[in-house]
Amino acid sequence: MTSAGFNVTSSLTLVGFSSMSGHSSLLFFVFLLVYLFVLFSDSLVIYIICSQRALHRPMFAFVASLLLNSLTASTLIYPKLLSDLLLSGAGLVQMSRTLCQCQGFLVSSLGGASFMLLSAMAFDRYLSICHPMHYAVLVTPAKVVLMLLLCWMLPAILGVVSTLLVSRLPICRAQLDKAYCDIYSIVSLSCGGGAAAQLSGISSLLNTAVIIFLPGAFILFSYARILFICLRRSRSFSSKALQTCLPHLLVFFNYSISVYLDLMLRRLQSNRESNTTLITSIVVLIIPTVLDPVVYGLKLKEVFTHVKRLLSCRRDG
């Protein structure tokens, strides 16, 4: 596919699926199954946390918020991917620049919110394990709400700034070798050079530092402190503390792997490796959305108990 036939400044072409049009039916089936699984599993865990009064605690509020974040991202991205796969057989996977920028904003803000929520969980676990006598005073319902608002609002504000800066860039290429749009991909399509491009690059680095690397460093510091405290306590205390931290660590490493793959994806984009870029972008999308509800549904004992009870009741009924 070429960019001829439309204005490259107002329309973009997602060529990744077009290059794999022979497998579009299989990919459509896989994405549909993944999307249905994410909808069911995320909704199930969120419902259990909201409906069970015993789970109305700060840690589970953060878990439900993270899964809601994942569910929102999946609902905004998967249906578009499914429609693209249907169109890819005809080689017509196109998207307006405005819609691409909106999708890029959502990917950036929701991805950043996920890391912020994980850092809030790490802070909650740190206070609960290292300062249990002051936990009830330090982590009140009002403060939990404020932390949740910060986790969602800060990435959204930074995402708006980045999107506005990107919208001013002149686009010289219209072919995007990915399954979805993000801010960096739009920047990579620009003509390069100029103050606007440099400002967008600085904004992208600032966003990455503020909503990914700083929360990531804080998460590692918090769990390192928890591990240090556990090494000085009894075995039963350490076992219980580490058991509550394990699901959050698994999800954190899950997101960290996705970030690493995304950084590798940017390098592949610069080398114009279309098929590898597409496959990597699909993996980056699927890994967090699928594993999050699995980890929290199976590894959090309180949630898993209610999941088994709910599913067994439905099967018996």
Side-chain angles (χ1 to χ4, degrees), residues 4-51:
F6 56 88
N7 183 354
V8 297
T9 62
S10 61
S11 182
L12 304 176
T13 304
L14 303 180
V15 299
F17 284 142
S18 298
S19 64
M20 301 182 69
S21 58
H23 306 285
S24 59
S25 298
L26 177 61
L27 285 174
F28 180 86
F29 181 69
V30 170
F31 270 121
L32 181 60
L33 286 180
V34 170
Y35 181 45
L36 292 176
F37 172 79
V38 170
L39 282 179
F40 172 76
S41 55
D42 279 347
S43 300
L44 177 63
V45 177
I46 292 171
Y47 167 76
I48 287 173
I49 292 175
C50 293
S51 63

Side-chain angles (χ1 to χ4, degrees), residues 77-107:
I77 294 177
Y78 279 111
K80 180 64 173 63
L81 291 181
L82 292 172
S83 66
D84 288 347
L85 283 166
L86 289 176
L87 293 172
S88 65
L92 295 172
V93 184
Q94 294 188 351
M95 179 185 292
S96 69
R97 178 175 177 177
T98 300
L99 183 57
C100 189
Q101 289 172 174
C102 289
Q103 193 177 65
F105 160 74
L106 292 170
V107 169

